[in-house]
Amino acid sequence: MRPTDLDRVRGLHLFGQAAPETFRVATAGAHLQRFPANTTLLFEGDTVDFLYMLLEGQVELHGTWNDHETVMAILRPVSSFLLAAVVLDADALMSARTLERCEILMIPGDAIRTAMQLDARFAMAVSRDLAGGYRGLVRTIKNHKLRSGVERLANHLLALRSADNAGSTVRLHYEKRILASLLGMTPENLSRAFAALQAHGVTVEGALVHITNIAALEALAKPDPLIDNHAPRGGDILIDADAEIWSSEWNRKARR
Amino acid sequence: MRPTDLDRVRGLHLFGQAAPETFRVATAGAHLQRFPANTTLLFEGDTVDFLYMLLEGQVELHGTWNDHETVMAILRPVSSFLLAAVVLDADALMSARTLERCEILMIPGDAIRTAMQLDARFAMAVSRDLAGGYRGLVRTIKNHKLRSGVERLANHLLALRSADNAGSTVRLHYEKRILASLLGMTPENLSRAFAALQAHGVTVEGALVHITNIAALEALAKPDPLIDNHAPRGGDILIDADAEIWSSEWNRKARR
DNA sequence: CGCGCATTTGAGGACTGTCAACTTCCGTGG
DNA sequence: CCACGGAAGTTGACAGTCCTCAAATGCGCG
């Protein structure tokens, strides 16, 4: 592993407060691995032997039941995933696959659990990460149970605008069929939802979405700090303030 | 606080592995409080000063948006709640209210965070609790995004049967309008869902539900270990194997 | 015994999913 | 550089699911 990569890992909030010895123990058995696009890293039900740290690229977490599939989350650098399974030494509840070429640091689960026993501050950092993830999922459930598809899309656009501190134009970070599944609808329905938002100040041009009337969109979306995380803090999985948002392959492609 | 209550708390998985000193620190500032039924303990958005441990009664966690409300979880003894908010010292994302008379142990959040710094084993126990809660929410999201209302109800009945290791008759633990909201539907729809299950070996008699054809119900429900937690282990919030399931007021009332 | 709330049932409408056809976009290979 | 094939995205028709409103029924508590 290159020193540069080690530095990037050292800077993660998960290790920020940990003792140097803890960091050494955890990263001793770790290895950096590159995966091509559309590669399944892990199927749901598989035993989880590693904590995954996404350093480059995008990863999709999804779940399956009865021949149907739903996207649970899209991860972007730098985020960890499968931490809950690692802490409990349990099977994965979601499958993970790369959406593009990825660099992923794989840390043995044993090392994580050992480090937690040795270093209370590291164990607290793990707790904070899990607590942030927990709260992110609570927000997701409220989003799905309390809002319609159009409302979820409207809020997603506002969240994108806020996270990318962009102007009146935001860029979708992944394909619309994936966004549709993440938002809990079909691709056809997402298309109609975009059409419905035209009356509320939104025009679509491929992966570019122009918000021509923010007030109108917010009037429809009614964003709520108890559901939408528009001021990302450390710890949450879905949104990471440190992420280099224009770095992904797909966005380079989609840029015009 | 009575020694009996202290013993009950000591026996919780959260404190099971903690050092005696940790236990003393955490419970020193704690106080046991009784609440009548239908009492709101906390509104979403409120600052969270205590970790709550439910020792007796039932508590509902719910979220609100745009004049609509949805039940997120029903807690039964012995479970903790608001742990994620305590760990992050953050505001509550859900409101909490008692469904019946409750005994709740309130532990200052400061004490929890201090104990985590002092005792790595306690911090690990907190991590395991949060990881279990996280995985429970992942299951909930898969349940909602991949299944229809009737399928969610069918699986809920099978989960009840499994958790209460009952025979062919299970008893609902709370009012149907609350169950409806928990399952993400209206009371009218839950009523129709029960009617639809008649064709799959289910008959309803007030709070009693008779499963006359388990095979037929399972054929419809298609329970999945990656969604439904039919073999409850420690750590999860929604289901706790240690709970005395027939103790609640509502069940005593509903029994015939 | 009677009031109030939970539950049920019915009718109608809104939202969402499925299927099919068409268009657009993109990567590949000539 | 261009043409082509395949996948993604869009649009329309239709069906299924779910919600809303309204009214009737049942049940528990005072």
Short mmCIF file of all heavy atoms in Angstrom, two decimals, chain B residues 148-154 157 183 185-200 202 204 220, chain C residues 8-9, chain D residues 18:
data_model
loop_
_atom_site.label_atom_id
_atom_site.label_comp_id
_atom_site.label_asym_id
_atom_site.label_seq_id
_atom_site.Cartn_x
_atom_site.Cartn_y
_atom_site.Cartn_z
N SER B 148 -45.35 -5.86 -0.76
CA SER B 148 -46.63 -5.16 -0.72
C SER B 148 -47.16 -5.18 0.71
O SER B 148 -46.62 -5.86 1.59
CB SER B 148 -47.63 -5.84 -1.65
OG SER B 148 -48.01 -7.08 -1.11
N GLY B 149 -48.22 -4.43 0.94
CA GLY B 149 -48.81 -4.36 2.26
C GLY B 149 -49.26 -5.71 2.79
O GLY B 149 -48.99 -6.06 3.95
N VAL B 150 -49.93 -6.49 1.96
CA VAL B 150 -50.40 -7.81 2.39
C VAL B 150 -49.21 -8.70 2.73
O VAL B 150 -49.24 -9.43 3.73
CB VAL B 150 -51.26 -8.45 1.27
CG1 VAL B 150 -51.66 -9.87 1.66
CG2 VAL B 150 -52.51 -7.61 1.03
N GLU B 151 -48.16 -8.62 1.94
CA GLU B 151 -46.98 -9.45 2.21
C GLU B 151 -46.30 -9.02 3.52
O GLU B 151 -45.84 -9.87 4.30
CB GLU B 151 -45.99 -9.33 1.05
CG GLU B 151 -46.46 -10.04 -0.21
CD GLU B 151 -45.67 -9.65 -1.44
OE1 GLU B 151 -45.01 -8.58 -1.43
OE2 GLU B 151 -45.72 -10.39 -2.43
N ARG B 152 -46.27 -7.73 3.79
CA ARG B 152 -45.68 -7.28 5.05
C ARG B 152 -46.50 -7.78 6.24
O ARG B 152 -45.95 -8.22 7.25
CB ARG B 152 -45.61 -5.74 5.08
CG ARG B 152 -44.56 -5.16 4.14
CD ARG B 152 -44.23 -3.71 4.47
NE ARG B 152 -45.34 -2.79 4.27
CZ ARG B 152 -45.66 -2.22 3.13
NH1 ARG B 152 -44.96 -2.49 2.05
NH2 ARG B 152 -46.67 -1.38 3.04
N LEU B 153 -47.82 -7.74 6.11
CA LEU B 153 -48.66 -8.23 7.19
C LEU B 153 -48.46 -9.72 7.41
O LEU B 153 -48.31 -10.19 8.54
CB LEU B 153 -50.14 -7.93 6.89
CG LEU B 153 -51.14 -8.53 7.88
CD1 LEU B 153 -50.88 -8.01 9.30
CD2 LEU B 153 -52.57 -8.23 7.46
N ALA B 154 -48.42 -10.48 6.31
CA ALA B 154 -48.24 -11.93 6.42
C ALA B 154 -46.93 -12.24 7.14
O ALA B 154 -46.90 -13.10 8.05
CB ALA B 154 -48.24 -12.55 5.02
N LEU B 157 -47.14 -11.49 10.89
CA LEU B 157 -47.83 -12.54 11.65
C LEU B 157 -46.90 -13.73 11.89
O LEU B 157 -46.85 -14.28 13.00
CB LEU B 157 -49.09 -12.98 10.90
CG LEU B 157 -50.18 -11.92 10.75
CD1 LEU B 157 -51.35 -12.46 9.95
CD2 LEU B 157 -50.63 -11.42 12.11
N LEU B 183 -46.66 -0.89 9.69
CA LEU B 183 -46.49 -1.63 8.44
C LEU B 183 -46.59 -0.72 7.22
O LEU B 183 -46.49 -1.19 6.09
CB LEU B 183 -47.54 -2.74 8.34
CG LEU B 183 -47.43 -3.86 9.37
CD1 LEU B 183 -48.54 -4.88 9.20
CD2 LEU B 183 -46.07 -4.55 9.25
N MET B 185 -49.25 1.40 6.25
CA MET B 185 -50.53 1.49 5.55
C MET B 185 -51.55 2.16 6.45
O MET B 185 -51.30 2.43 7.61
CB MET B 185 -51.01 0.12 5.08
CG MET B 185 -50.94 -1.00 6.11
SD MET B 185 -51.56 -2.54 5.40
CE MET B 185 -50.34 -3.71 5.92
N THR B 186 -52.74 2.39 5.88
CA THR B 186 -53.80 3.01 6.66
C THR B 186 -54.57 1.92 7.41
O THR B 186 -54.51 0.74 7.03
CB THR B 186 -54.78 3.74 5.73
OG1 THR B 186 -55.30 2.80 4.79
CG2 THR B 186 -54.09 4.87 5.01
N PRO B 187 -55.28 2.27 8.47
CA PRO B 187 -56.10 1.28 9.18
C PRO B 187 -57.09 0.58 8.25
O PRO B 187 -57.28 -0.64 8.37
CB PRO B 187 -56.82 2.12 10.23
CG PRO B 187 -55.93 3.28 10.46
CD PRO B 187 -55.29 3.58 9.15
N GLU B 188 -57.69 1.34 7.34
CA GLU B 188 -58.63 0.72 6.40
C GLU B 188 -57.95 -0.36 5.57
O GLU B 188 -58.49 -1.45 5.35
CB GLU B 188 -59.21 1.77 5.45
CG GLU B 188 -60.04 2.85 6.11
CD GLU B 188 -59.22 4.07 6.41
OE1 GLU B 188 -58.05 3.90 6.81
OE2 GLU B 188 -59.73 5.19 6.26
N ASN B 189 -56.73 -0.05 5.14
CA ASN B 189 -56.00 -0.99 4.32
C ASN B 189 -55.58 -2.22 5.09
O ASN B 189 -55.58 -3.34 4.55
CB ASN B 189 -54.77 -0.31 3.74
CG ASN B 189 -54.75 -0.44 2.24
OD1 ASN B 189 -55.05 -1.50 1.73
ND2 ASN B 189 -54.42 0.63 1.57
N LEU B 190 -55.22 -2.04 6.36
CA LEU B 190 -54.86 -3.20 7.17
C LEU B 190 -56.05 -4.13 7.31
O LEU B 190 -55.92 -5.35 7.22
CB LEU B 190 -54.39 -2.73 8.56
CG LEU B 190 -54.08 -3.87 9.54
CD1 LEU B 190 -52.92 -4.73 9.05
CD2 LEU B 190 -53.76 -3.32 10.93
N SER B 191 -57.21 -3.52 7.50
CA SER B 191 -58.43 -4.32 7.62
C SER B 191 -58.64 -5.16 6.36
O SER B 191 -58.96 -6.35 6.42
CB SER B 191 -59.62 -3.38 7.84
OG SER B 191 -60.72 -4.09 8.34
N ARG B 192 -58.43 -4.53 5.21
CA ARG B 192 -58.59 -5.26 3.95
C ARG B 192 -57.49 -6.30 3.76
O ARG B 192 -57.72 -7.36 3.18
CB ARG B 192 -58.58 -4.27 2.78
CG ARG B 192 -59.81 -3.41 2.75
CD ARG B 192 -59.77 -2.37 1.64
NE ARG B 192 -60.91 -1.47 1.75
CZ ARG B 192 -60.85 -0.19 2.02
NH1 ARG B 192 -59.67 0.40 2.18
NH2 ARG B 192 -61.94 0.54 2.13
N ALA B 193 -56.31 -5.99 4.27
CA ALA B 193 -55.21 -6.95 4.17
C ALA B 193 -55.54 -8.21 4.98
O ALA B 193 -55.30 -9.33 4.53
CB ALA B 193 -53.91 -6.33 4.65
N PHE B 194 -56.09 -8.01 6.17
CA PHE B 194 -56.51 -9.17 6.96
C PHE B 194 -57.56 -9.97 6.21
O PHE B 194 -57.53 -11.20 6.18
CB PHE B 194 -57.07 -8.72 8.32
CG PHE B 194 -56.03 -8.62 9.40
CD1 PHE B 194 -55.79 -7.41 10.04
CD2 PHE B 194 -55.28 -9.73 9.78
CE1 PHE B 194 -54.84 -7.31 11.04
CE2 PHE B 194 -54.33 -9.63 10.78
CZ PHE B 194 -54.11 -8.42 11.41
N ALA B 195 -58.49 -9.27 5.59
CA ALA B 195 -59.53 -9.94 4.81
C ALA B 195 -58.92 -10.75 3.67
O ALA B 195 -59.32 -11.89 3.40
CB ALA B 195 -60.53 -8.93 4.27
N ALA B 196 -57.90 -10.17 3.04
CA ALA B 196 -57.25 -10.86 1.92
C ALA B 196 -56.53 -12.13 2.40
O ALA B 196 -56.42 -13.10 1.66
CB ALA B 196 -56.26 -9.92 1.23
N LEU B 197 -56.06 -12.11 3.65
CA LEU B 197 -55.33 -13.26 4.16
C LEU B 197 -56.25 -14.41 4.54
O LEU B 197 -55.78 -15.52 4.82
CB LEU B 197 -54.48 -12.86 5.38
CG LEU B 197 -53.24 -12.02 5.06
CD1 LEU B 197 -52.41 -11.79 6.32
CD2 LEU B 197 -52.39 -12.69 3.99
N GLN B 198 -57.55 -14.15 4.58
CA GLN B 198 -58.49 -15.25 4.85
C GLN B 198 -58.32 -16.37 3.84
O GLN B 198 -58.43 -17.56 4.17
CB GLN B 198 -59.93 -14.73 4.81
CG GLN B 198 -60.37 -14.04 6.10
CD GLN B 198 -61.86 -13.72 6.10
OE1 GLN B 198 -62.58 -14.09 5.19
NE2 GLN B 198 -62.30 -13.05 7.16
N ALA B 199 -58.03 -15.99 2.59
CA ALA B 199 -57.84 -16.99 1.54
C ALA B 199 -56.52 -17.74 1.70
O ALA B 199 -56.24 -18.67 0.95
CB ALA B 199 -57.91 -16.32 0.17
N HIS B 200 -55.68 -17.30 2.67
CA HIS B 200 -54.38 -17.95 2.87
C HIS B 200 -54.25 -18.48 4.29
O HIS B 200 -53.16 -18.47 4.87
CB HIS B 200 -53.26 -16.96 2.54
CG HIS B 200 -53.30 -16.46 1.12
ND1 HIS B 200 -52.62 -17.06 0.09
CD2 HIS B 200 -53.98 -15.44 0.56
CE1 HIS B 200 -52.86 -16.42 -1.04
NE2 HIS B 200 -53.68 -15.43 -0.79
N VAL B 202 -55.84 -17.52 7.35
CA VAL B 202 -55.78 -16.61 8.49
C VAL B 202 -57.20 -16.14 8.83
O VAL B 202 -57.93 -15.68 7.95
CB VAL B 202 -54.90 -15.38 8.19
CG1 VAL B 202 -55.02 -14.34 9.32
CG2 VAL B 202 -53.46 -15.79 8.01
N VAL B 204 -59.33 -13.70 11.80
CA VAL B 204 -59.11 -12.69 12.82
C VAL B 204 -60.30 -12.65 13.77
O VAL B 204 -61.46 -12.77 13.36
CB VAL B 204 -58.92 -11.30 12.17
CG1 VAL B 204 -58.63 -10.24 13.23
CG2 VAL B 204 -57.80 -11.36 11.15
N LEU B 220 -47.35 -17.41 0.72
CA LEU B 220 -47.58 -16.02 0.34
C LEU B 220 -46.49 -15.10 0.87
O LEU B 220 -46.01 -14.22 0.16
CB LEU B 220 -48.95 -15.56 0.88
CG LEU B 220 -49.22 -14.06 0.73
CD1 LEU B 220 -49.42 -13.70 -0.73
CD2 LEU B 220 -50.44 -13.65 1.54
P DT C 8 -60.82 -4.69 11.80
OP1 DT C 8 -60.73 -6.14 12.06
OP2 DT C 8 -59.68 -3.98 11.19
"O5'" DT C 8 -62.12 -4.40 10.94
"C5'" DT C 8 -63.38 -4.83 11.42
"C4'" DT C 8 -64.50 -4.32 10.53
"O4'" DT C 8 -64.54 -2.87 10.59
"C3'" DT C 8 -64.35 -4.67 9.04
"O3'" DT C 8 -65.50 -5.42 8.64
"C2'" DT C 8 -64.27 -3.32 8.33
"C1'" DT C 8 -64.95 -2.39 9.33
N1 DT C 8 -64.52 -0.96 9.26
C2 DT C 8 -65.44 0.00 8.95
O2 DT C 8 -66.61 -0.25 8.72
N3 DT C 8 -64.95 1.28 8.93
C4 DT C 8 -63.64 1.68 9.19
O4 DT C 8 -63.32 2.86 9.14
C5 DT C 8 -62.73 0.62 9.50
C7 DT C 8 -61.30 0.93 9.79
C6 DT C 8 -63.20 -0.64 9.52
P DT C 9 -65.47 -6.27 7.30
OP1 DT C 9 -66.33 -7.44 7.53
OP2 DT C 9 -64.07 -6.43 6.87
"O5'" DT C 9 -66.21 -5.32 6.25
"C5'" DT C 9 -67.52 -4.87 6.52
"C4'" DT C 9 -67.91 -3.76 5.57
"O4'" DT C 9 -67.27 -2.53 5.96
"C3'" DT C 9 -67.53 -4.00 4.10
"O3'" DT C 9 -68.72 -4.07 3.33
"C2'" DT C 9 -66.67 -2.79 3.73
"C1'" DT C 9 -67.06 -1.78 4.79
N1 DT C 9 -66.01 -0.77 5.11
C2 DT C 9 -66.34 0.56 5.14
O2 DT C 9 -67.46 0.96 4.90
N3 DT C 9 -65.29 1.40 5.45
C4 DT C 9 -63.98 1.05 5.73
O4 DT C 9 -63.15 1.90 6.00
C5 DT C 9 -63.71 -0.36 5.69
C7 DT C 9 -62.33 -0.85 5.97
C6 DT C 9 -64.71 -1.19 5.38
P DC D 18 -50.67 -2.45 -1.42
OP1 DC D 18 -49.33 -2.63 -0.83
OP2 DC D 18 -51.80 -3.33 -1.06
"O5'" DC D 18 -51.11 -0.94 -1.16
"C5'" DC D 18 -50.30 0.11 -1.66
"C4'" DC D 18 -51.05 1.43 -1.51
"O4'" DC D 18 -52.12 1.46 -2.47
"C3'" DC D 18 -51.70 1.63 -0.13
"O3'" DC D 18 -51.10 2.74 0.51
"C2'" DC D 18 -53.17 1.86 -0.44
"C1'" DC D 18 -53.17 2.21 -1.91
N1 DC D 18 -54.43 1.82 -2.62
C2 DC D 18 -55.16 2.79 -3.29
O2 DC D 18 -54.76 3.96 -3.30
N3 DC D 18 -56.31 2.43 -3.91
C4 DC D 18 -56.72 1.16 -3.88
N4 DC D 18 -57.85 0.86 -4.52
C5 DC D 18 -55.99 0.16 -3.20
C6 DC D 18 -54.86 0.52 -2.58
#
